Amino acid sequence: MFPSSLLIHLDRLKANYRRMAENFPRHALAPVIKADAYGHGILPCARALEEEKCPYLCVFTLEEAQLLRENGVKTRLILLGGALHREECRELARLENVAVAAWNLPAIQELSQWAVALGKTVDLHLKIDTGMSRLGFFPRECPEVIRQIQQLPGLRLAGAFSHLASADCPEKDYTARQIQAFQEGCACLPPEARERHLSATPGMLVGVGMEYPIVRPGFTLYGYGSDPRTPQMHFAPVMEFTSHVISLKEIPVGAEISYGGIYRVTHHPCRIAVIPVGYADGYPRGLGNRASVLIRGKRAPIRGRVCMGMMMADVTEIPGASVDDLVTLLGQQDNEAIYADELASMVETIPYELLCRLGRHPNRIWLP
């Protein structure tokens, strides 16, 4: 039995989706569940969102789309990565009810050939590079690309999309330029190409890029990115990480704790709890001597470096702390809470990365 558990609260995911739908009633929501649903488990999350009747799900890879279809998920998929190499085109053409990102003419031509060979029609969403400088056609290229797609058999141009690079930085005018570029790229789309989407979570929260019928909520679905000044946009963190105290010991003054001795006990002895979680579990090593965990509803600071499979926390100020006590590394106990944005800021990263790392834990448990 694993002493630690990564708990995924699917009821919170559903509630977050419903709140997002209530706040954006004029838009079709396309939840982003790529990267194993940001570490939360792509299949359980897809099933939960399908129960909420969401009209779209966004994935990135062919393998993600195949996994959902093989396990009975029928919601329309938007494959944001498109064909990452031409060898994928045959399998992409086989998929039902999937809109494939179109950002590469050779792959588009290959898709056409396989669609014809298999007697299929493949839906495409034109990927427009408006300023991310990643995948996609520049707006000036779009008229000719659209003309070529319309001449290829087996393809249907169903929509277009792009991605805002700095929507969460309202002081920058880059977003306005991207919106203008997207408008230019869409100018030659046929009227039937209605599935157009530009805004993801950052844009949705500040109301930019919302002129199009589809939006792509991502991080908010998992409980982050909400503004405390707007209670109607509050979202509950879906992931919780827990463990238990496996050992307690008194550490004398002058002793050092963990590798490198970066924490030395001074002034008075301390009581140290050993917790069987480390960087092999996705918990960042850099949180040593910075972060805390929750034990008996109180914060216990981590002392010394986080090890591969263990860490030490100071419970000197927590009366009654004992072996087998529940430890919350991510989540809430009583009136105290520790969430991914707090931990991520301590190691100069973003909550997205932290959740994806923790999501590889071998003992994920999905709660209905």
Side-chain angles (χ1 to χ4, degrees):
M1 176 182 294
F2 283 96
S4 308
S5 301
L6 196 72
L7 307 175
I8 311 298
H9 296 268
L10 295 174
D11 60 334
R12 298 179 190 174
L13 178 72
K14 291 180 176 183
N16 290 342
Y17 174 83
R18 289 193 296 270
R19 176 153 290 191
M20 184 67 73
E22 290 166 2
N23 278 277
F24 298 96
R26 298 180 180 178
H27 293 82
L29 269 57
V32 180
I33 57 171
K34 64 179 181 178
D36 201 26
Y38 298 28
H40 294 71
I42 186 171
L43 188 54
C45 289
R47 287 171 169 161
L49 291 166
E50 190 166 62
E51 290 174 5
E52 294 298 314
K53 311 296 183 186
C54 72
Y56 300 92
L57 292 169
C58 292
V59 298
F60 188 73
T61 66
L62 166 65
E63 289 77 14
E64 290 171 340
Q66 288 175 320
L67 176 67
L68 296 183
R69 288 294 183 256
E70 289 166 1
N71 286 276
V73 176
K74 300 185 184 305
T75 301
R76 182 162 175 79
L77 302 179
I78 300 174
L79 189 67
L80 298 173
L84 300 182
H85 50 82
R86 292 174 63 182
E87 291 76 9
E88 293 184 338
C89 290
R90 179 179 64 179
E91 297 306 315
L92 284 173
R94 293 182 188 275
L95 292 173
E96 298 290 340
N97 198 21
V98 176
V100 180
W103 55 267
N104 176 301
L105 269 176
I108 293 169
Q109 294 161 353
E110 187 88 4
L111 273 172
S112 170
Q113 293 173 17
W114 280 112
V116 171
L118 296 169
K120 299 276 192 177
T121 298
V122 177
D123 285 351
L124 300 180
H125 281 189
L126 185 68
K127 172 72 172 184
I128 303 173
D129 184 354
T130 59
M132 277 290 284
S133 302
R134 299 191 305 193
L135 303 178
F137 299 101
F138 292 117
R140 65 177 181 274
E141 299 175 300
C142 289
E144 176 60 20
V145 171
I146 291 169
R147 185 189 68 80
Q148 292 192 43
I149 289 174
Q150 290 178 311
Q151 291 181 344
L152 290 169
L155 302 179
R156 184 175 79 95
L157 193 54
F161 74 108
S162 190
H163 192 65
L164 298 174
S166 304
D168 51 351
C169 303
E171 70 279 4
K172 298 183 70 172
D173 63 0
Y174 199 65
T175 298
R177 296 203 298 271
Q178 281 197 268
I179 293 171
Q180 177 64 34
F182 189 62
Q183 293 170 346
E184 293 171 7
C186 290
C188 293
L189 285 173
E192 62 269 21
R194 298 186 181 93
E195 293 180 327
R196 305 180 190 189
H197 42 111
L198 177 60
S199 191
T201 291
M204 294 172 69
L205 293 177
V206 296
V208 299
M210 303 295 289
E211 302 88 339
Y212 302 96
I214 300 172
V215 290
R216 304 186 304 266
F219 212 34
T220 46
L221 290 170
Y222 307 107
Y224 293 92
S226 52
D227 187 338
R229 296 169 297 181
T230 53
Q232 73 275 16
M233 292 288 282
H234 174 74
F235 304 95
V238 174
M239 183 183 290
E240 182 180 10
F241 192 19
T242 66
S243 188
H244 291 83
V245 175
I246 61 170
S247 174
L248 284 168
K249 61 172 57 180
E250 300 290 333
I251 307 298
V253 171
E256 297 176 346
I257 296 175
S258 196
Y259 291 108
I262 64 170
Y263 184 84
R264 179 185 291 271
V265 180
T266 59
H267 305 304
H268 55 77
C270 66
R271 196 168 188 229
I272 290 295
V274 180
I275 303 156
V277 171
Y279 57 81
D281 301 286
Y283 194 89
R285 181 174 180 267
L287 289 175
N289 271 358
R290 295 178 180 176
S292 297
V293 299
L294 302 179
I295 299 174
R296 298 197 171 209
K298 298 182 182 296
R299 287 187 174 239
I302 297 171
R303 301 303 194 197
R305 286 200 170 99
V306 173
C307 309
M308 184 180 290
M310 287 184 284
M311 67 175 68
M312 283 65 76
D314 192 338
V315 294
T316 308
E317 303 299 324
I318 303 179
S322 60
V323 170
D324 292 333
D325 272 355
L326 177 69
V327 178
T328 299
L329 300 100
L330 187 72
Q332 184 168 348
Q333 275 192 20
D334 299 336
N335 294 322
E336 280 283 0
I338 296 171
Y339 294 129
D341 41 7
E342 173 188 337
L343 300 180
S345 67
M346 293 178 181
V347 288
E348 298 183 350
T349 187
I350 55 176
Y352 300 68
E353 180 185 358
L354 184 65
L355 295 180
C356 287
R357 288 173 60 174
L358 291 174
R360 295 194 288 267
H361 194 270
N363 191 34
R364 282 190 301 185
I365 299 172
W366 290 273
L367 303 175

